[in-house]
Amino acid sequence: MISLINKETLAELSLAAKASPRLRKNFNFHASNESSCHRLLNALEPGTYVQPHCHLDSEKDETMIALIGRFGILIFDAQGEITQQVVLSANEGNMGINIPAGAFHSMVALESGSVFFESKAGPYVALAAAEKASWAPAEGDAGCAAYLAKMVAVFSAV
């Protein structure tokens, strides 16, 4: 069965993200978590917190392409210092990014209704402790809001 990606698809996914407690929602094209290639749409709303993380498996590069809206991508060194910041926009400048395995990264939604396409190697394996940034709060921790505000502030002049 084919799957079409159109404005209605993106709008429906964005509505689901807005209604989600985590303020994000994905739509998978791959058949299962065990699939060797993961392809998905990912909708993020401002206010969602993605803990900085990396993927240590050398096959787990992550490619993201903005389809609608704007995202701020942050790359960190192993101590948590920001080494690179990039805005992805569906309408101007950088539309996509490939993040190599081993690079600590996170992202923030800079506009409501933002959706990106993501591709990475499967199968899905939950992040190991070594892949989660020890210098950033885990999702749900008390410090998330303050850390998220710090990440968003990086893009306030952009």
Side-chain angles (χ1 to χ4, degrees):
M1 181 169 88
I2 66 165
S3 298
L4 296 176
I5 302 169
N6 52 42
K7 290 185 184 208
E8 291 78 20
T9 307
L10 303 181
E12 288 174 14
L13 194 58
S14 288
L15 283 174
K18 288 175 187 171
S20 167
R22 296 175 74 206
L23 297 173
R24 54 184 147 155
K25 183 71 175 168
N26 64 303
F27 179 86
N28 297 342
F29 296 106
H30 50 281
S32 73
N33 283 340
E34 290 73 36
S35 295
S36 61
C37 180
H38 285 205
R39 301 157 331 277
L40 58 141
L41 299 177
N42 210 329
L44 274 66
E45 286 295 309
T48 191
Y49 174 70
V50 178
Q51 180 182 8
H53 63 281
C54 69
H55 304 282
L56 294 177
D57 182 332
S58 64
E59 295 296 317
K60 296 269 185 179
D61 289 6
E62 242 177 304
T63 302
M64 301 172 201
I65 301 171
L67 299 177
I68 191 166
R70 294 174 65 234
F71 301 91
I73 308 293
L74 295 166
I75 308 298
F76 303 87
D77 66 18
Q79 292 73 43
E81 296 299 318
I82 296 170
T83 60
Q84 190 172 2
Q85 62 203 47
V86 178
V87 173
L88 298 186
S89 171
N91 297 318
E92 61 187 12
N94 299 307
M95 297 174 63
I97 189 169
N98 186 71
I99 300 172
F104 277 100
H105 61 282
S106 185
M107 65 187 320
V108 296
L110 298 175
E111 292 179 3
S112 183
S114 295
V115 181
F116 65 95
F117 175 80
E118 178 178 347
S119 180
K120 64 184 167 192
Y124 171 78
V125 177
L127 292 173
E131 294 175 306
K132 296 176 184 178
S134 61
W135 35 261
E139 187 176 339
D141 284 356
C144 286
Y147 198 84
L148 175 60
K150 177 181 160 185
M151 291 195 303
V152 171
V154 171
F155 299 99
S156 63
V158 181

